[in-house]
Amino acid sequence: MLELNSGDYRVLLEPERGGSLAAFEWAGLSILRASRPGLMSETACFPLVPFSNRIANGKFALKGQKFQLAPNAPAVDAKNPIHGYGWLSAWNVVSAGGTSAVIEHTHDGDKWPWRYRARQQVSVKHDGLSLQLHVTNLDKTAMPAGLGFHPYFPRKADTIYHGLHKGEWQVDEGCLPVDLNEMPEPQDWWNGQPVGSRGVDTVYARREGPLTLHWPDIAAKATIRPSDNLPFTVVYTPGGRDFFCVEPVSQETDAVNADSGMMTMLAPGETMSASLHIEVEAER
């Protein structure tokens, strides 16, 4: 496990466990929930590569060729491949210092039909935590790609999440998209109410501006600034749990099967990049 420190910020990075963060603290307070033993999904934050969320029944077609993927995490979803393959892989340390580390993993093209290399830089400075994620197509044909970040935040009854989006996807029982509820202007779909007042596991489309989290119990506020190519936000607010997820991503769920073509097509040797910055401050 690697420890990074700068000012009030402290990060623990666990490369071999899916390239994940084990902790992110500010002024001694947990801004991400600490990792727990067990599934890869019990970490503090993990990278999403080479796609976000689910592919329906693992089936899709590309340029006349049909593909069938097996579920990659049956304990999480027994029917659909979910969150890509980076979170299920051991990452190697490329470089590490007191405030920054670079890790990577290479996929050999078995479970996902293309070979790729993923690289992640994790760094802390006086103004917060920065995550940079890259995926390079190492194969001989074009590869559909998507990126994102899957952080888990601690939740109390009065925790507030605020984000402005134009659309909210209605989903079926398997969390696959069914219908997009779209508004003329970006809005806060929680209307200022605590994040736990709505139970959702869905995607919000066409984000405008940063995302903010407020914890009145610890008088802290986090501002999340995703890169412009992460215009979607997955929000997961499970009932009866002490966490919630706000996941900036590049695509809608099952985008490889969507008419909108939200997946980025990477030519052989081409790289896609995305980033995320989280800054924390006291709030009185």
Side-chain angles (χ1 to χ4, degrees), residues 134-194:
H134 315 273
V135 61
T136 301
N137 180 5
L138 300 180
D139 224 298
K140 297 179 180 179
T141 60
M143 179 183 85
L147 296 174
F149 301 93
H150 196 306
Y152 292 81
F153 297 98
R155 183 175 102 193
K156 294 293 181 68
D158 56 357
T159 302
I160 300 291
Y161 154 69
H162 177 81
L164 298 177
H165 298 82
K166 280 193 174 182
E168 178 186 65
W169 275 99
Q170 308 303 306
V171 298
D172 62 18
E173 292 183 355
C175 298
L176 294 169
V178 175
D179 186 58
L180 180 63
N181 184 8
E182 206 162 10
M183 297 296 176
E185 299 295 331
Q187 66 169 299
D188 169 19
W189 294 81
W190 269 255
N191 295 311
Q193 297 301 306

Side-chain angles (χ1 to χ4, degrees), residues 10-231:
R10 176 177 179 263
V11 170
L12 292 179
L13 176 61
E14 199 168 4
E16 291 189 0
R17 193 177 178 188
S20 67
L21 302 186
F24 171 47
E25 299 171 355
W26 169 79
L29 301 171
S30 293
I31 301 304
L32 296 176
R33 69 143 192 220
S35 285
R36 306 168 181 179
L39 299 173
M40 292 294 194
S41 57
E42 295 294 324
T43 62
C45 177
F46 58 80
L48 301 169
V49 58
F51 62 87
S52 162
N53 216 291
R54 294 164 170 85
I55 296 176
N57 298 307
K59 296 180 180 180
F60 64 96
L62 190 64
K63 295 184 177 180
Q65 185 176 359
K66 295 182 179 180
F67 297 91
Q68 175 68 68
L69 309 182
N72 59 346
V76 178
D77 191 317
K79 292 179 59 178
N80 310 299
I82 184 170
H83 299 329
Y85 296 90
W87 71 302
L88 301 172
S89 303
W91 294 52
N92 299 314
V93 178
V94 176
S95 63
T99 61
S100 181
V102 176
I103 60 176
E104 71 175 23
H105 95 90
T106 301
H107 179 76
D108 61 10
D110 54 353
K111 298 174 184 177
W112 177 250
W114 294 269
R115 295 175 58 247
Y116 70 81
R117 180 176 60 249
R119 179 170 285 202
Q120 183 180 197
Q121 180 172 359
V122 180
S123 58
V124 286
K125 297 182 180 178
H126 68 281
D127 63 346
L129 167 67
S130 292
L131 303 175
Q132 296 181 333
L133 185 60
H134 315 273
V135 61
T136 301
N137 180 5
L138 300 180
D139 224 298
K140 297 179 180 179
T141 60
M143 179 183 85
L147 296 174
F149 301 93
H150 196 306
Y152 292 81
F153 297 98
R155 183 175 102 193
K156 294 293 181 68
D158 56 357
T159 302
I160 300 291
Y161 154 69
H162 177 81
L164 298 177
H165 298 82
K166 280 193 174 182
E168 178 186 65
W169 275 99
Q170 308 303 306
V171 298
D172 62 18
E173 292 183 355
C175 298
L176 294 169
V178 175
D179 186 58
L180 180 63
N181 184 8
E182 206 162 10
M183 297 296 176
E185 299 295 331
Q187 66 169 299
D188 169 19
W189 294 81
W190 269 255
N191 295 311
Q193 297 301 306
V195 66
S197 64
R198 297 190 69 206
V200 300
D201 186 356
T202 191
V203 181
Y204 293 83
R206 301 179 69 182
R207 171 182 52 82
E208 182 176 285
L211 309 166
T212 56
L213 310 177
H214 304 262
W215 292 278
D217 60 306
I218 59 173
K221 169 188 174 182
T223 301
I224 305 169
R225 293 185 174 88
S227 54
D228 290 342
N229 63 343
L230 301 179

